[in-house]
Amino acid sequence: MIRFAHFFAVFLWFVTSAASALETPPKAGDVFSECDECPEMVVIPPGSFTQGYDGGLDQRYEGPRRDVTIARSFAIGRFEVTQAQYRAFIEKSGYEPSVGCYMWNGMSADFIDAHGWEDPDYGRPPADDEPVACLNWTHANAYVSWLAEHTGQPYRLISESEWEYVARAGRPSDYTYAWGEDESEVCVHGNVLDESTARDQPELPMPAAPCDDGFPGIAPVGQFKPNAFGVYDITGNVWEWLQDCYVMPYAEDVPSDGSAYINEACERRAVRGGSWISTLFWQRPTFRGRDPEDLTSRIFGVRVARDLP
């Protein structure tokens, strides 16, 4: 009886401690995870920055530039959602994502019914610590909705403003890249189309970054240097689906407080961050991907956000 009472007391202490982990005000840089299968989250401080770029590709204008102030801390995944974390969601929720995936090879994209998140056509099974891929926006949103229900906490997709703010991580908003101007530094920060990818796929028509990141294909999460906010792989590996409806140029009523822009039409959703087979120009923090919600691609994944008290 005494042993049981002692065990129960220890168990109760553990549950209470876990439940109250975020009852005290979180500090910037704090890291937490709310279940075994949950992503690790890092607390992002409030702040202001200038979003966007007065330029871009044809039909992909990245402006106009605008000032954004995020007045409250929030949390973001330290890493992109992994294969193991997404599998846990599938097993626990019973969710059945649509089948098939576009196999982007740097030149064209073919839709293959046999491929999906369990087999993104790497020529081998994906590793548990690699980012889950072959997700469309609906798959990504289903994951964060389950995570919110599973934990009882306000998990969600990231907004465009939050994503760019995190990618900048306090650096000047006029830098071309998140880290500065030196293109060769990209291989310190993320997995992109680099010299190793070019050697592996010499037929690629796009220019490779002038460095070697050691990964011709997908990389496990957390292999590169984190940014000043403690976030890994914000550049490259897989594109990250965001909450916003895509409009170009930014609409006059786009929120300036960091929240997502949603309209009734919402024909496309925003994606950011580039991938392991994306050329360097697409890795800039202002570059705006825009894709239909049902586009399932081998280079599209997700990173999560969470509101804080």
Side-chain angles (χ1 to χ4, degrees):
M1 188 67 179
I2 293 175
R3 287 182 178 178
F4 175 78
H6 174 72
F7 170 81
F8 182 77
V10 171
F11 174 77
L12 185 63
W13 173 86
F14 175 80
V15 171
T16 303
S17 298
S20 63
L22 288 180
E23 288 181 2
T24 57
K27 304 186 300 295
D30 284 354
V31 175
F32 65 91
S33 177
E34 295 177 292
C35 66
D36 288 343
E37 60 273 16
C38 292
E40 282 190 11
M41 308 296 291
V42 60
V43 176
I44 305 300
S48 300
F49 78 113
T50 301
Q51 182 173 341
Y53 168 61
D54 187 21
L57 299 174
D58 290 344
Q59 304 303 314
R60 283 181 181 257
Y61 180 51
E62 298 167 14
R65 302 191 81 194
R66 59 201 186 88
D67 293 332
V68 174
T69 296
I70 298 174
R72 299 186 64 179
S73 294
F74 65 100
I76 195 171
R78 291 180 77 199
F79 313 106
E80 293 160 332
V81 174
T82 66
Q83 188 79 13
Q85 289 162 349
Y86 196 78
R87 184 186 307 111
F89 151 62
I90 295 293
E91 292 173 349
K92 290 178 180 291
S93 70
Y95 180 74
E96 297 182 3
S98 57
V99 297
C101 185
Y102 277 99
M103 296 291 110
W104 170 250
N105 60 13
M107 296 176 289
S108 62
D110 297 316
F111 189 81
I112 309 296
D113 288 336
H115 291 301
W117 73 271
E118 293 180 287
D119 179 13
D121 193 29
Y122 298 153
R124 56 168 176 78
D128 282 353
D129 60 352
E130 291 173 343
V132 65
C134 279
L135 300 191
N136 63 34
W137 186 89
T138 302
H139 302 153
N141 194 54
Y143 174 77
V144 294
S145 297
W146 169 81
L147 194 60
E149 181 179 0
H150 183 57
T151 62
Q153 302 298 338
Y155 284 90
R156 55 178 175 79
L157 292 175
I158 306 163
S159 75
E160 270 204 275
S161 295
E162 289 171 336
W163 190 96
E164 192 170 324
Y165 173 68
V166 170
R168 292 290 187 191
R171 288 181 175 268
S173 294
D174 56 354
Y175 278 1
T176 301
Y177 303 102
W179 57 89
E181 299 298 332
D182 187 348
E183 293 186 350
S184 66
E185 284 191 31
V186 66
C187 292
V188 176
H189 300 278
N191 180 24
V192 304
L193 198 172
D194 68 325
E195 292 171 356
S196 65
T197 314
R199 286 195 302 271
D200 188 62
Q201 300 184 57
E203 71 281 2
L204 289 174
M206 302 94 73
C211 55
D212 189 334
D213 63 31
F215 292 95
I218 199 76
V221 301
Q223 299 300 299
F224 299 89
K225 183 180 179 179
N227 70 12
F229 284 165
V231 177
Y232 293 78
D233 306 311
I234 201 76
T235 297
N237 234 9
V238 292
W239 291 91
E240 299 170 9
W241 283 108
L242 305 180
Q243 185 66 41
D244 297 61
C245 302
Y246 176 86
V247 291
M248 189 279 293
Y250 287 121
E252 291 184 1
D253 60 343
V254 169
S256 60
D257 63 355
S259 56
Y261 175 74
I262 307 295
N263 60 31
E264 291 185 4
C266 211
E267 296 177 353
R268 294 173 180 266
R269 296 282 180 168
V271 289
R272 293 283 191 117
S275 76
W276 60 268
I277 199 170
S278 297
T279 193
L280 194 56
F281 187 82
W282 292 3
Q283 312 286 351
R284 296 172 302 109
T286 58
F287 186 84
R288 306 177 67 207
R290 72 283 193 270
D291 292 281
E293 291 183 0
D294 61 354
L295 179 71
T296 308
S297 171
R298 72 186 298 218
I299 55 174
F300 280 27
V302 64
R303 187 190 303 266
V304 304
R306 181 197 188 283
D307 293 324
L308 294 174

